[in-house]
Amino acid sequence: MSFSRRNFLAGAAAAGAAPLLPRVSHAGPRAFALTAAPAAASLVGSDWPETRVWAYNGAVPGPELRMQQGETLRLTAGNRLDQPTTIHWHGVRLPIAMDGVPELSQDPIPPGGDFTYEFRAVDAGTFWYHPHVNSTEQQGRGLSGALIVEETAPIKVDREVTWVLDDWLLRDTAQIDDRFGHPMQLSHGGRLGNTVTVNGAIPGDFAVRAGERIRLRLINVANARTFALDFAGLKPQIVALDGQPVRPHGPPGGRVVIAAAQRADLVIDMAGSPGERVIVTDSYYQRQTYEFLTIAYDGGAPLRDSPLDAPIALPANPVPEPALDDAAQRERVTLQGGAMSRAMPADAGRFIEQGQFWFLNGLPDKGRGREPLIAVKRGRTCVVTLVNETGWEHPMHLHGHSFRLLSRNGRPNMRGEWLDTVLVSPQETVEIAFVADNPGDWLFHCHILEHMAAGMSGIVRVA
Ligand code: C2O
Ligand code: CU
């Protein structure tokens, strides 16, 4: 079965969660508190029982945290779950001790305990937070939220909107299917759900005014699902990917593709007429196109006659530029394993028996232990060639750094966008480069959480 707009009346409108604190300018750190605890949420609308979830501050997604570039965040994370947890600040370039990875960064926060995170936001952009313990279940039950770092001089738009995209596997009681870590999910495409939500509810109408310019921040917090949004007649311009500015451009192929953990900032001029309705579809998976939501223009007169005449390019962040010369360290990471795979390391069998289905350079995470997958001297440029020998796609995420996407299958990528998560298609080879300027043991893993749980993870040691 599948929960969709056809089965359910639209629940709460797709409105963003309110910021935790009013906007005030002050010199000290920006203080927040998040507590992870069981809660109930109306994911599928009022005709159905509420879904028992795990939530930050009782909300799914958690509160949208907002701060300005250069400010310091200080956040107390409380744990009212019956298992340890942490918070990882996805995409934020911060010190290793604040990265939220058990063993590499901190001791997990025990039930009843708390931990204070503090870091300066060096980059403006769209980021997000989630646990890094028992991720498939903790994130799959609802623990995630947006972290927005505003530019000091933002681009001019009429309205800013965040869409946190999620995908839930629900039973027909509207409760979460609790088979987390099922071998089928681990060894295939991850935990793909049957219910897509935007900001914690099945999306209904998204109300707009003709002529308005919207900055739309998309964040994919799903365990596994990739989205490919087609905005029909509208012409979204992509202005940032994974929080990092990119030269504004239309989505390649006409669809905004956003894999698990990725973000995209769009600028959209609502070019339709009053009263018009435009259906946004998601057509990523073959033969599974569905109506994602409807953009509904109100009846009011257009805000303006021609699109707003203001630049949409965002100012660059201070990310160090890789030096692609002979001094760069070149590494190769081969992705292997998974169901129906021909490419398997020789001794794969003993790991598969332990539920470790995925391999980076021949070993699953548990086989390598604390040995790094890549070790690089601090300050050096590292070029990594990712070779996907599996029959599955993998959104590969590097902690603590943003990297440039250099090429796909040997074809140079002229746009050279900065990412922290790159989607590597089956049998594809992708080249990335970054300056290893942030000391620590950083995770490099597939963000299909079931793949990470089943071995597709390693350490990049910067020392
Ligand atoms: Cu969202 Cu290890 O990451
Ligand atoms: Cu994967």
Side-chain angles (χ1 to χ4, degrees), residues 211-351:
E212 75 172 329
R213 173 171 289 180
I214 292 180
R215 176 174 182 174
L216 180 59
R217 300 175 187 260
L218 304 176
I219 307 176
N220 182 354
V221 306
N223 281 34
R225 178 175 295 279
T226 301
F227 295 85
L229 300 185
D230 184 335
F231 286 81
L234 293 169
K235 301 213 160 19
Q237 291 288 300
I238 299 174
V239 298
L241 291 167
D242 287 358
Q244 300 294 347
V246 63
R247 181 157 38 81
H249 62 281
R255 303 183 305 175
V256 180
V257 175
I258 173 167
Q262 291 187 317
R263 287 87 65 215
D265 286 35
L266 313 179
V267 170
I268 311 182
D269 288 315
M270 295 299 163
S273 355
E276 198 179 323
R277 295 173 66 77
V278 177
I279 292 167
V280 178
T281 54
D282 170 14
S283 56
Y284 188 70
Y285 298 93
Q286 260 176 24
R287 294 183 300 277
Q288 293 180 40
T289 300
Y290 64 99
E291 294 180 7
F292 182 75
L293 58 61
T294 300
I295 294 178
Y297 290 82
D298 67 22
L303 204 57
R304 54 178 64 83
D305 299 331
S306 53
L308 180 63
D309 182 20
I312 58 171
L314 293 164
N317 282 318
V319 188
E321 189 64 51
L324 302 172
D325 52 24
D326 288 349
Q329 180 171 333
R330 313 233 163 213
E331 298 282 348
R332 193 181 167 86
V333 174
T334 304
L335 287 57
Q336 292 181 314
M340 299 171 288
S341 176
R342 276 159 296 154
M344 281 288 186
D347 56 351
R350 70 189 166 105
F351 294 115

Side-chain angles (χ1 to χ4, degrees), residues 88 90 128 130 132 261 397 399 443 445 447:
H88 168 61
H90 185 113
W128 64 294
H130 62 77
H132 225 295
H397 170 49
H399 285 218
L443 276 191
H445 65 86
H447 222 291

